[in-house]
Amino acid sequence: GRRVGQLMHALCDFGCMINLFNLLPLGSLDGGQVAATLHPSLLVIGCVFGTAIVYQGEVKNPLIYLILLGGYYQVAARALGWELPRPGMVNLSPRGKAVVAAAYVGIAGALAGLMALNQARLYGPKGEAPGVATGEDSPYAAEFDRLVEELPDI
């Protein structure tokens, strides 16, 4: 079967993680724009969630503080009337909002699923890592490759 290097696994995880982070409903991140389109209260939920992950120490990058400040500003500016939402965002039909929500959930689910598949291929379903130190494929790599080969081309 094909042998995929650890670097490719790391790049896959990093790319998925960065995109999932971008989907957080905070400030000017893509997730914040989606949240503002669907319902303004989702921005508040995003700020609470962002504050919780910082408080718990899940994200140690100082960039998160700037993103959170942007999220707080966006919530305050909307609540106090300093800033009005873009007309195209609030005038979206219910069907349009449903399409936006479905796309958001679909993209987030696909990214999370890809990360899970990547981890399963590297470590196996029980989390053991027989080939990580040596650079060899895990015993689950051949099964993973077989399943990927069966996927239809897009």
Side-chain angles (χ1 to χ4, degrees), residues 96-146:
K97 288 183 179 189
V99 168
V100 169
Y104 177 82
V105 170
I107 291 169
L111 289 167
L114 184 57
M115 284 182 77
L117 276 173
N118 189 43
Q119 291 300 309
R121 180 174 192 307
L122 188 60
Y123 298 114
K126 296 182 182 167
E128 67 270 9
V132 172
T134 63
E136 298 173 11
D137 282 337
S138 78
Y140 304 98
E143 178 66 14
F144 176 87
D145 288 341
R146 186 186 67 72

Side-chain angles (χ1 to χ4, degrees), residues 66-131:
L66 292 174
I67 293 168
L68 271 175
L69 284 173
Y72 297 146
Y73 174 79
Q74 187 177 21
V75 167
R78 294 253 175 103
L80 299 172
W82 299 339
E83 228 178 70
L84 295 175
R86 287 178 258 173
M89 293 171 66
V90 292
N91 296 334
L92 202 58
S93 70
R95 180 180 173 161
K97 288 183 179 189
V99 168
V100 169
Y104 177 82
V105 170
I107 291 169
L111 289 167
L114 184 57
M115 284 182 77
L117 276 173
N118 189 43
Q119 291 300 309
R121 180 174 192 307
L122 188 60
Y123 298 114
K126 296 182 182 167
E128 67 270 9

Side-chain angles (χ1 to χ4, degrees), residues 23-47:
L23 291 176
L24 289 175
L26 286 171
S28 62
L29 296 176
D30 288 344
Q33 301 305 308
V34 169
T37 299
L38 297 177
H39 197 277
S41 65
L42 293 175
L43 293 172
V44 176
I45 294 169
C47 286

